[in-house]
Short mmCIF file of all heavy atoms in Angstrom, two decimals:
data_model
loop_
_atom_site.label_atom_id
_atom_site.label_comp_id
_atom_site.label_asym_id
_atom_site.label_seq_id
_atom_site.Cartn_x
_atom_site.Cartn_y
_atom_site.Cartn_z
N MET A 735 24.34 -165.40 -215.55
CA MET A 735 23.38 -165.89 -214.55
C MET A 735 23.88 -167.18 -213.91
O MET A 735 24.42 -168.04 -214.57
CB MET A 735 22.02 -166.19 -215.21
CG MET A 735 21.18 -164.95 -215.44
SD MET A 735 20.36 -164.42 -213.94
CE MET A 735 19.10 -165.69 -213.76
N GLU A 736 23.70 -167.25 -212.64
CA GLU A 736 24.06 -168.46 -211.90
C GLU A 736 22.82 -169.03 -211.23
O GLU A 736 21.87 -168.31 -210.97
CB GLU A 736 25.09 -168.14 -210.82
CG GLU A 736 26.45 -167.74 -211.35
CD GLU A 736 27.38 -167.32 -210.22
OE1 GLU A 736 26.93 -166.62 -209.30
OE2 GLU A 736 28.54 -167.70 -210.27
N LYS A 737 22.87 -170.30 -210.95
CA LYS A 737 21.77 -170.90 -210.18
C LYS A 737 22.37 -171.87 -209.17
O LYS A 737 23.51 -172.32 -209.32
CB LYS A 737 20.77 -171.61 -211.09
CG LYS A 737 21.36 -172.79 -211.84
CD LYS A 737 20.27 -173.47 -212.64
CE LYS A 737 20.83 -174.70 -213.34
NZ LYS A 737 19.80 -175.45 -214.06
N VAL A 738 21.60 -172.15 -208.14
CA VAL A 738 22.10 -173.02 -207.09
C VAL A 738 21.33 -174.35 -207.10
O VAL A 738 20.13 -174.39 -207.37
CB VAL A 738 22.00 -172.33 -205.71
CG1 VAL A 738 20.57 -172.00 -205.34
CG2 VAL A 738 22.66 -173.18 -204.63
N GLU A 739 22.09 -175.41 -206.85
CA GLU A 739 21.50 -176.76 -206.76
C GLU A 739 22.05 -177.46 -205.54
O GLU A 739 23.14 -177.14 -205.07
CB GLU A 739 21.87 -177.59 -208.00
CG GLU A 739 21.25 -177.07 -209.29
CD GLU A 739 21.72 -177.86 -210.50
OE1 GLU A 739 22.52 -178.83 -210.34
OE2 GLU A 739 21.30 -177.51 -211.61
N ILE A 740 21.30 -178.44 -205.05
CA ILE A 740 21.76 -179.30 -203.96
C ILE A 740 22.09 -180.67 -204.53
O ILE A 740 21.27 -181.25 -205.25
CB ILE A 740 20.68 -179.48 -202.87
CG1 ILE A 740 20.22 -178.15 -202.31
CG2 ILE A 740 21.13 -180.47 -201.80
CD1 ILE A 740 21.03 -177.61 -201.18
N ASP A 741 23.25 -181.20 -204.20
CA ASP A 741 23.57 -182.59 -204.53
C ASP A 741 23.11 -183.46 -203.36
O ASP A 741 23.75 -183.49 -202.31
CB ASP A 741 25.07 -182.74 -204.77
CG ASP A 741 25.42 -184.16 -205.22
OD1 ASP A 741 24.61 -185.08 -204.97
OD2 ASP A 741 26.50 -184.33 -205.79
N LYS A 742 21.97 -184.11 -203.55
CA LYS A 742 21.38 -184.88 -202.44
C LYS A 742 22.23 -186.09 -202.06
O LYS A 742 22.07 -186.66 -200.98
CB LYS A 742 19.96 -185.32 -202.79
CG LYS A 742 18.99 -184.17 -202.80
CD LYS A 742 17.61 -184.59 -202.37
CE LYS A 742 16.68 -183.39 -202.29
NZ LYS A 742 15.54 -183.63 -201.41
N ASN A 743 23.13 -186.49 -202.95
CA ASN A 743 24.02 -187.60 -202.61
C ASN A 743 25.06 -187.17 -201.58
O ASN A 743 25.63 -188.01 -200.89
CB ASN A 743 24.74 -188.11 -203.87
CG ASN A 743 23.77 -188.76 -204.82
OD1 ASN A 743 22.89 -189.51 -204.40
ND2 ASN A 743 23.92 -188.45 -206.10
N LEU A 744 25.30 -185.86 -201.47
CA LEU A 744 26.29 -185.35 -200.53
C LEU A 744 25.64 -184.78 -199.28
O LEU A 744 26.24 -184.79 -198.20
CB LEU A 744 27.14 -184.26 -201.20
CG LEU A 744 28.04 -184.72 -202.34
CD1 LEU A 744 28.74 -183.52 -202.98
CD2 LEU A 744 29.07 -185.72 -201.86
N CYS A 745 24.41 -184.25 -199.39
CA CYS A 745 23.75 -183.60 -198.26
C CYS A 745 23.52 -184.58 -197.12
O CYS A 745 23.11 -185.72 -197.34
CB CYS A 745 22.41 -183.03 -198.73
SG CYS A 745 21.44 -182.31 -197.40
N ILE A 746 23.81 -184.12 -195.89
CA ILE A 746 23.58 -184.94 -194.70
C ILE A 746 22.44 -184.39 -193.85
O ILE A 746 22.19 -184.87 -192.75
CB ILE A 746 24.86 -185.06 -193.85
CG1 ILE A 746 25.40 -183.68 -193.45
CG2 ILE A 746 25.92 -185.88 -194.59
CD1 ILE A 746 26.53 -183.71 -192.42
N GLY A 747 21.75 -183.36 -194.37
CA GLY A 747 20.58 -182.83 -193.66
C GLY A 747 20.89 -182.10 -192.38
O GLY A 747 20.08 -182.07 -191.46
N CYS A 748 22.06 -181.45 -192.32
CA CYS A 748 22.45 -180.78 -191.07
C CYS A 748 21.61 -179.53 -190.80
O CYS A 748 21.52 -179.07 -189.67
CB CYS A 748 23.92 -180.42 -191.10
SG CYS A 748 24.30 -179.06 -192.22
N GLY A 749 21.03 -178.95 -191.85
CA GLY A 749 20.16 -177.79 -191.69
C GLY A 749 20.87 -176.45 -191.71
O GLY A 749 20.22 -175.41 -191.59
N ALA A 750 22.18 -176.44 -191.87
CA ALA A 750 22.91 -175.17 -191.86
C ALA A 750 22.45 -174.24 -192.98
O ALA A 750 22.28 -173.04 -192.76
CB ALA A 750 24.41 -175.44 -191.98
N CYS A 751 22.24 -174.78 -194.15
CA CYS A 751 21.85 -173.93 -195.28
C CYS A 751 20.50 -173.25 -195.02
O CYS A 751 20.34 -172.07 -195.28
CB CYS A 751 21.81 -174.73 -196.58
SG CYS A 751 20.79 -176.20 -196.50
N ALA A 752 19.54 -174.02 -194.50
CA ALA A 752 18.21 -173.46 -194.23
C ALA A 752 18.28 -172.42 -193.11
O ALA A 752 17.50 -171.47 -193.10
CB ALA A 752 17.24 -174.58 -193.87
N ALA A 753 19.22 -172.61 -192.16
CA ALA A 753 19.37 -171.64 -191.08
C ALA A 753 20.00 -170.35 -191.59
O ALA A 753 19.58 -169.26 -191.21
CB ALA A 753 20.23 -172.24 -189.96
N ILE A 754 21.00 -170.47 -192.45
CA ILE A 754 21.71 -169.30 -192.97
C ILE A 754 20.86 -168.58 -194.01
O ILE A 754 20.82 -167.36 -194.06
CB ILE A 754 23.06 -169.72 -193.59
CG1 ILE A 754 24.00 -170.22 -192.49
CG2 ILE A 754 23.70 -168.58 -194.38
CD1 ILE A 754 25.24 -170.93 -193.01
N CYS A 755 20.17 -169.33 -194.84
CA CYS A 755 19.50 -168.75 -196.00
C CYS A 755 18.12 -169.38 -196.21
O CYS A 755 17.90 -170.11 -197.17
CB CYS A 755 20.40 -168.98 -197.21
SG CYS A 755 19.85 -168.13 -198.67
N PRO A 756 17.18 -169.08 -195.31
CA PRO A 756 15.85 -169.72 -195.41
C PRO A 756 15.06 -169.30 -196.65
O PRO A 756 14.09 -169.97 -197.01
CB PRO A 756 15.15 -169.27 -194.12
CG PRO A 756 15.88 -168.05 -193.68
CD PRO A 756 17.30 -168.22 -194.13
N LYS A 757 15.49 -168.21 -197.32
CA LYS A 757 14.78 -167.80 -198.54
C LYS A 757 15.01 -168.79 -199.67
O LYS A 757 14.23 -168.84 -200.62
CB LYS A 757 15.27 -166.42 -198.99
CG LYS A 757 14.75 -165.29 -198.14
CD LYS A 757 15.26 -163.95 -198.68
CE LYS A 757 14.94 -162.83 -197.71
NZ LYS A 757 15.83 -161.69 -197.91
N ASN A 758 16.10 -169.51 -199.62
CA ASN A 758 16.45 -170.38 -200.74
C ASN A 758 16.46 -171.87 -200.43
O ASN A 758 16.39 -172.69 -201.35
CB ASN A 758 17.85 -170.02 -201.28
CG ASN A 758 17.87 -168.66 -201.91
OD1 ASN A 758 17.86 -167.66 -201.20
ND2 ASN A 758 17.87 -168.59 -203.22
N PHE A 759 16.59 -172.23 -199.13
CA PHE A 759 16.73 -173.65 -198.79
C PHE A 759 15.74 -174.04 -197.70
O PHE A 759 15.45 -173.25 -196.80
CB PHE A 759 18.14 -173.94 -198.28
CG PHE A 759 19.23 -173.55 -199.23
CD1 PHE A 759 20.06 -172.47 -198.94
CD2 PHE A 759 19.44 -174.24 -200.40
CE1 PHE A 759 21.07 -172.10 -199.82
CE2 PHE A 759 20.46 -173.87 -201.29
CZ PHE A 759 21.26 -172.79 -200.99
N GLU A 760 15.26 -175.27 -197.77
CA GLU A 760 14.50 -175.84 -196.67
C GLU A 760 14.82 -177.32 -196.58
O GLU A 760 15.31 -177.92 -197.54
CB GLU A 760 13.00 -175.61 -196.84
CG GLU A 760 12.39 -176.38 -197.99
CD GLU A 760 10.89 -176.12 -198.12
OE1 GLU A 760 10.40 -175.11 -197.59
OE2 GLU A 760 10.23 -176.96 -198.74
N ILE A 761 14.55 -177.89 -195.40
CA ILE A 761 14.73 -179.32 -195.24
C ILE A 761 13.43 -180.01 -195.64
O ILE A 761 12.37 -179.72 -195.09
CB ILE A 761 15.11 -179.67 -193.78
CG1 ILE A 761 16.40 -178.96 -193.37
CG2 ILE A 761 15.25 -181.18 -193.63
CD1 ILE A 761 17.63 -179.32 -194.19
N GLY A 762 13.52 -180.91 -196.59
CA GLY A 762 12.33 -181.57 -197.13
C GLY A 762 11.89 -182.76 -196.30
O GLY A 762 12.49 -183.09 -195.26
N ASP A 763 10.84 -183.41 -196.77
CA ASP A 763 10.28 -184.57 -196.06
C ASP A 763 11.29 -185.71 -195.94
O ASP A 763 11.17 -186.55 -195.05
CB ASP A 763 9.04 -185.08 -196.80
CG ASP A 763 7.88 -184.08 -196.72
OD1 ASP A 763 7.90 -183.23 -195.82
OD2 ASP A 763 6.98 -184.17 -197.57
N ASP A 764 12.23 -185.76 -196.86
CA ASP A 764 13.25 -186.82 -196.81
C ASP A 764 14.40 -186.48 -195.87
O ASP A 764 15.36 -187.24 -195.75
CB ASP A 764 13.78 -187.12 -198.22
CG ASP A 764 14.39 -185.90 -198.90
OD1 ASP A 764 14.48 -184.83 -198.26
OD2 ASP A 764 14.80 -186.02 -200.06
N GLY A 765 14.30 -185.31 -195.19
CA GLY A 765 15.34 -184.93 -194.24
C GLY A 765 16.57 -184.30 -194.88
O GLY A 765 17.54 -184.01 -194.20
N LEU A 766 16.49 -184.08 -196.18
CA LEU A 766 17.61 -183.48 -196.90
C LEU A 766 17.20 -182.10 -197.42
O LEU A 766 16.01 -181.81 -197.55
CB LEU A 766 18.03 -184.38 -198.07
CG LEU A 766 18.48 -185.78 -197.67
CD1 LEU A 766 18.77 -186.61 -198.93
CD2 LEU A 766 19.69 -185.76 -196.75
N ALA A 767 18.21 -181.29 -197.70
CA ALA A 767 17.93 -179.93 -198.14
C ALA A 767 17.34 -179.90 -199.54
O ALA A 767 17.66 -180.73 -200.39
CB ALA A 767 19.22 -179.12 -198.10
N GLU A 768 16.46 -178.92 -199.74
CA GLU A 768 15.88 -178.68 -201.06
C GLU A 768 16.04 -177.21 -201.40
O GLU A 768 16.01 -176.36 -200.51
CB GLU A 768 14.38 -179.02 -201.06
CG GLU A 768 14.11 -180.49 -200.93
CD GLU A 768 12.62 -180.80 -200.87
OE1 GLU A 768 11.81 -179.85 -200.81
OE2 GLU A 768 12.31 -182.00 -200.88
N VAL A 769 16.18 -176.94 -202.68
CA VAL A 769 16.23 -175.55 -203.14
C VAL A 769 14.80 -175.08 -203.38
O VAL A 769 14.05 -175.70 -204.12
CB VAL A 769 17.05 -175.46 -204.44
CG1 VAL A 769 16.99 -174.04 -205.01
CG2 VAL A 769 18.50 -175.85 -204.19
N THR A 770 14.42 -173.98 -202.73
CA THR A 770 13.08 -173.42 -202.94
C THR A 770 13.14 -172.24 -203.90
O THR A 770 12.11 -171.79 -204.39
CB THR A 770 12.46 -172.97 -201.61
OG1 THR A 770 13.34 -172.03 -200.99
CG2 THR A 770 12.25 -174.15 -200.69
N ASN A 771 14.35 -171.73 -204.12
CA ASN A 771 14.55 -170.58 -205.01
C ASN A 771 16.00 -170.68 -205.48
O ASN A 771 16.91 -170.65 -204.65
CB ASN A 771 14.31 -169.29 -204.22
CG ASN A 771 14.59 -168.04 -205.03
OD1 ASN A 771 15.17 -168.10 -206.12
ND2 ASN A 771 14.19 -166.91 -204.50
N ASP A 772 16.22 -170.85 -206.78
CA ASP A 772 17.59 -171.11 -207.25
C ASP A 772 18.38 -169.85 -207.60
O ASP A 772 19.47 -169.91 -208.14
CB ASP A 772 17.60 -172.13 -208.40
CG ASP A 772 16.99 -171.60 -209.68
OD1 ASP A 772 16.66 -170.40 -209.75
OD2 ASP A 772 16.85 -172.39 -210.63
N LYS A 773 17.81 -168.67 -207.27
CA LYS A 773 18.54 -167.42 -207.51
C LYS A 773 19.71 -167.32 -206.54
O LYS A 773 19.56 -167.53 -205.34
CB LYS A 773 17.58 -166.25 -207.31
CG LYS A 773 18.18 -164.92 -207.68
CD LYS A 773 17.08 -163.86 -207.80
CE LYS A 773 17.67 -162.53 -208.18
NZ LYS A 773 17.83 -161.61 -207.07
N VAL A 774 20.89 -167.00 -207.07
CA VAL A 774 22.10 -166.95 -206.24
C VAL A 774 22.26 -165.56 -205.63
O VAL A 774 22.33 -164.56 -206.34
CB VAL A 774 23.34 -167.32 -207.08
CG1 VAL A 774 24.60 -167.16 -206.25
CG2 VAL A 774 23.21 -168.76 -207.58
N THR A 775 22.27 -165.52 -204.29
CA THR A 775 22.48 -164.27 -203.55
C THR A 775 23.72 -164.45 -202.68
O THR A 775 24.29 -165.55 -202.59
CB THR A 775 21.28 -163.98 -202.63
OG1 THR A 775 21.18 -165.04 -201.69
CG2 THR A 775 19.98 -163.88 -203.42
N ASP A 776 24.11 -163.37 -202.00
CA ASP A 776 25.26 -163.47 -201.10
C ASP A 776 24.99 -164.49 -200.00
O ASP A 776 25.90 -165.21 -199.57
CB ASP A 776 25.57 -162.10 -200.47
CG ASP A 776 26.22 -161.16 -201.47
OD1 ASP A 776 26.65 -161.63 -202.54
OD2 ASP A 776 26.28 -159.95 -201.19
N GLU A 777 23.74 -164.56 -199.54
CA GLU A 777 23.39 -165.55 -198.50
C GLU A 777 23.53 -166.98 -199.03
O GLU A 777 23.94 -167.88 -198.29
CB GLU A 777 21.95 -165.33 -198.02
CG GLU A 777 21.82 -164.19 -197.03
CD GLU A 777 20.38 -163.99 -196.57
OE1 GLU A 777 19.45 -164.42 -197.28
OE2 GLU A 777 20.20 -163.39 -195.51
N VAL A 778 23.19 -167.18 -200.28
CA VAL A 778 23.35 -168.52 -200.89
C VAL A 778 24.83 -168.89 -200.91
O VAL A 778 25.21 -170.03 -200.59
CB VAL A 778 22.75 -168.53 -202.31
CG1 VAL A 778 23.19 -169.79 -203.07
CG2 VAL A 778 21.23 -168.46 -202.24
N LYS A 779 25.67 -167.92 -201.27
CA LYS A 779 27.11 -168.19 -201.31
C LYS A 779 27.65 -168.48 -199.92
O LYS A 779 28.49 -169.37 -199.73
CB LYS A 779 27.85 -167.00 -201.94
CG LYS A 779 27.57 -166.90 -203.42
CD LYS A 779 28.25 -165.68 -204.04
CE LYS A 779 27.89 -165.59 -205.52
NZ LYS A 779 28.33 -164.34 -206.12
N GLU A 780 27.13 -167.76 -198.92
CA GLU A 780 27.54 -168.00 -197.53
C GLU A 780 27.12 -169.41 -197.10
O GLU A 780 27.89 -170.14 -196.47
CB GLU A 780 26.91 -166.96 -196.61
CG GLU A 780 27.44 -167.03 -195.19
CD GLU A 780 26.76 -166.02 -194.27
OE1 GLU A 780 26.19 -165.04 -194.75
OE2 GLU A 780 26.83 -166.25 -193.04
N ALA A 781 25.90 -169.80 -197.46
CA ALA A 781 25.44 -171.15 -197.12
C ALA A 781 26.32 -172.19 -197.79
O ALA A 781 26.69 -173.20 -197.16
CB ALA A 781 23.98 -171.31 -197.54
N ALA A 782 26.67 -171.96 -199.05
CA ALA A 782 27.51 -172.92 -199.77
C ALA A 782 28.87 -173.07 -199.09
O ALA A 782 29.40 -174.18 -198.97
CB ALA A 782 27.68 -172.47 -201.22
N GLU A 783 29.41 -171.93 -198.63
CA GLU A 783 30.72 -171.98 -197.95
C GLU A 783 30.64 -172.71 -196.62
O GLU A 783 31.62 -173.29 -196.16
CB GLU A 783 31.24 -170.55 -197.72
CG GLU A 783 31.75 -169.91 -199.00
CD GLU A 783 31.99 -168.40 -198.83
OE1 GLU A 783 31.95 -167.91 -197.69
OE2 GLU A 783 32.19 -167.75 -199.86
N ASN A 784 29.45 -172.71 -196.00
CA ASN A 784 29.31 -173.32 -194.68
C ASN A 784 28.73 -174.73 -194.72
O ASN A 784 28.59 -175.36 -193.67
CB ASN A 784 28.42 -172.42 -193.80
CG ASN A 784 29.20 -171.21 -193.30
OD1 ASN A 784 29.99 -171.30 -192.38
ND2 ASN A 784 29.01 -170.08 -193.94
N CYS A 785 28.40 -175.22 -195.89
CA CYS A 785 27.91 -176.60 -195.98
C CYS A 785 29.06 -177.56 -195.68
O CYS A 785 30.10 -177.49 -196.34
CB CYS A 785 27.35 -176.85 -197.38
SG CYS A 785 26.93 -178.59 -197.62
N PRO A 786 28.90 -178.45 -194.70
CA PRO A 786 30.01 -179.31 -194.30
C PRO A 786 30.41 -180.34 -195.35
O PRO A 786 31.51 -180.88 -195.30
CB PRO A 786 29.50 -179.99 -193.03
CG PRO A 786 28.02 -179.92 -193.12
CD PRO A 786 27.71 -178.65 -193.86
N THR A 787 29.53 -180.60 -196.29
CA THR A 787 29.85 -181.64 -197.29
C THR A 787 29.95 -181.09 -198.71
O THR A 787 29.99 -181.85 -199.68
CB THR A 787 28.77 -182.75 -197.27
OG1 THR A 787 27.52 -182.16 -197.61
CG2 THR A 787 28.68 -183.41 -195.91
N ASP A 788 29.95 -179.76 -198.85
CA ASP A 788 30.00 -179.13 -200.18
C ASP A 788 28.89 -179.62 -201.10
O ASP A 788 29.11 -179.84 -202.30
CB ASP A 788 31.37 -179.36 -200.85
CG ASP A 788 32.45 -178.46 -200.26
OD1 ASP A 788 32.10 -177.42 -199.69
OD2 ASP A 788 33.63 -178.82 -200.36
N ALA A 789 27.71 -179.82 -200.53
CA ALA A 789 26.58 -180.32 -201.33
C ALA A 789 25.89 -179.22 -202.11
O ALA A 789 25.09 -179.50 -203.00
CB ALA A 789 25.58 -181.02 -200.42
N ILE A 790 26.18 -177.96 -201.76
CA ILE A 790 25.53 -176.83 -202.43
C ILE A 790 26.39 -176.41 -203.61
O ILE A 790 27.54 -176.01 -203.43
CB ILE A 790 25.32 -175.66 -201.46
CG1 ILE A 790 24.47 -176.11 -200.27
CG2 ILE A 790 24.68 -174.47 -202.18
CD1 ILE A 790 24.36 -175.07 -199.16
N LYS A 791 25.84 -176.57 -204.79
CA LYS A 791 26.58 -176.29 -206.02
C LYS A 791 26.03 -175.04 -206.69
O LYS A 791 24.83 -174.96 -206.98
CB LYS A 791 26.46 -177.46 -207.00
CG LYS A 791 26.82 -178.81 -206.40
CD LYS A 791 28.28 -178.89 -206.05
CE LYS A 791 28.64 -180.30 -205.61
NZ LYS A 791 30.00 -180.35 -205.03
N ILE A 792 26.91 -174.08 -206.93
CA ILE A 792 26.53 -172.88 -207.68
C ILE A 792 27.05 -173.06 -209.10
O ILE A 792 28.24 -173.25 -209.32
CB ILE A 792 27.09 -171.62 -207.01
CG1 ILE A 792 26.43 -171.45 -205.64
CG2 ILE A 792 26.85 -170.40 -207.89
CD1 ILE A 792 27.01 -170.34 -204.80
N LYS A 793 26.11 -173.03 -210.04
CA LYS A 793 26.45 -173.34 -211.42
C LYS A 793 26.08 -172.19 -212.33
O LYS A 793 25.13 -171.46 -212.06
CB LYS A 793 25.70 -174.59 -211.89
CG LYS A 793 26.07 -175.82 -211.12
CD LYS A 793 25.34 -177.02 -211.68
CE LYS A 793 25.84 -178.28 -210.98
NZ LYS A 793 25.13 -179.47 -211.42
N LYS A 794 26.80 -172.10 -213.42
CA LYS A 794 26.40 -171.17 -214.46
C LYS A 794 25.11 -171.70 -215.07
O LYS A 794 25.02 -172.86 -215.45
CB LYS A 794 27.47 -171.12 -215.55
CG LYS A 794 28.73 -170.38 -215.10
CD LYS A 794 28.81 -169.02 -215.77
CE LYS A 794 30.10 -168.29 -215.43
NZ LYS A 794 30.11 -167.72 -214.08
N ALA A 795 24.10 -170.85 -215.13
CA ALA A 795 22.83 -171.26 -215.73
C ALA A 795 22.98 -171.14 -217.25
O ALA A 795 23.02 -170.05 -217.80
CB ALA A 795 21.70 -170.39 -215.22
N ASP A 796 23.09 -172.27 -217.89
CA ASP A 796 23.24 -172.31 -219.34
C ASP A 796 21.86 -172.51 -219.97
O ASP A 796 21.18 -173.48 -219.65
CB ASP A 796 24.18 -173.46 -219.70
CG ASP A 796 24.44 -173.56 -221.19
OD1 ASP A 796 23.65 -173.00 -221.97
OD2 ASP A 796 25.43 -174.19 -221.55
N LYS A 797 21.47 -171.58 -220.81
CA LYS A 797 20.12 -171.67 -221.37
C LYS A 797 19.87 -173.01 -222.05
O LYS A 797 18.78 -173.54 -221.98
CB LYS A 797 19.90 -170.53 -222.38
CG LYS A 797 19.54 -169.23 -221.71
CD LYS A 797 19.27 -168.15 -222.73
CE LYS A 797 19.00 -166.84 -222.01
NZ LYS A 797 19.09 -165.69 -222.92
N LYS A 798 20.90 -173.54 -222.70
CA LYS A 798 20.70 -174.82 -223.40
C LYS A 798 20.32 -175.91 -222.41
O LYS A 798 19.51 -176.78 -222.72
CB LYS A 798 21.99 -175.24 -224.11
CG LYS A 798 22.22 -174.46 -225.38
CD LYS A 798 23.55 -174.88 -226.00
CE LYS A 798 24.01 -173.86 -227.03
NZ LYS A 798 25.44 -173.97 -227.27
N GLU A 799 20.91 -175.88 -221.19
CA GLU A 799 20.61 -176.91 -220.21
C GLU A 799 19.17 -176.82 -219.70
O GLU A 799 18.60 -177.79 -219.28
CB GLU A 799 21.55 -176.78 -219.00
CG GLU A 799 22.92 -177.38 -219.25
CD GLU A 799 23.82 -177.19 -218.04
OE1 GLU A 799 23.31 -176.91 -216.94
OE2 GLU A 799 25.03 -177.31 -218.23
N GLU A 800 18.62 -175.60 -219.73
CA GLU A 800 17.28 -175.41 -219.17
C GLU A 800 16.18 -175.86 -220.12
O GLU A 800 15.06 -176.06 -219.72
CB GLU A 800 17.08 -173.94 -218.80
CG GLU A 800 17.87 -173.55 -217.56
CD GLU A 800 17.74 -172.08 -217.24
OE1 GLU A 800 17.16 -171.32 -218.03
OE2 GLU A 800 18.25 -171.70 -216.17
N LEU A 801 16.51 -176.01 -221.41
CA LEU A 801 15.49 -176.40 -222.38
C LEU A 801 15.06 -177.85 -222.19
O LEU A 801 15.83 -178.66 -221.73
CB LEU A 801 16.00 -176.20 -223.80
CG LEU A 801 16.16 -174.73 -224.22
CD1 LEU A 801 16.82 -174.66 -225.60
CD2 LEU A 801 14.82 -174.03 -224.24
S1 LIG B 1290 24.28 -177.30 -195.27
FE1 LIG B 1290 24.81 -178.88 -196.79
S2 LIG B 1290 24.69 -180.84 -195.69
FE2 LIG B 1290 23.65 -179.30 -194.43
S3 LIG B 1290 21.47 -179.50 -195.02
FE3 LIG B 1290 22.37 -177.88 -196.29
S4 LIG B 1290 23.05 -178.92 -198.19
FE4 LIG B 1290 22.69 -180.50 -196.63
#
């Protein structure tokens, strides 16, 4: 299982991820991207590839980390 996260320190709020994959990303009140659904789909991978700052991180979901 994989999950997607946004590194807000890298995000510049360009909106590309929300445009490519609105099911998983939206621009929050702070003007930066937020994950609304961390399930990794092909669209999520496409958004990650198109993020200009590589702020979209796809990680292995480790059960120990979720506890
Ligand atoms: S594509 Fe990257 S930089 Fe642009 S809003 Fe999404 S996470 Fe932020």
Side-chain angles (χ1 to χ4, degrees):
M735 280 281 287
E736 292 175 318
K737 64 177 183 176
V738 61
E739 293 176 1
I740 302 274
D741 184 340
K742 289 212 175 202
N743 293 318
L744 294 176
C745 176
I746 56 170
C748 72
C751 53
I754 292 168
C755 188
K757 285 181 189 158
N758 293 75
F759 304 109
E760 68 180 20
I761 301 299
D763 292 339
D764 58 4
L766 300 176
E768 291 178 353
V769 174
T770 56
N771 176 348
D772 69 6
K773 186 166 181 259
V774 175
T775 62
D776 286 347
E777 281 179 338
V778 167
K779 290 177 182 171
E780 188 182 340
E783 285 168 11
N784 284 282
C785 173
T787 61
D788 284 337
I790 301 172
K791 308 294 186 190
I792 295 173
K793 297 183 174 177
K794 288 253 184 284
D796 182 340
K797 279 182 184 164
K798 284 178 196 159
E799 280 178 18
E800 287 177 353
L801 290 174

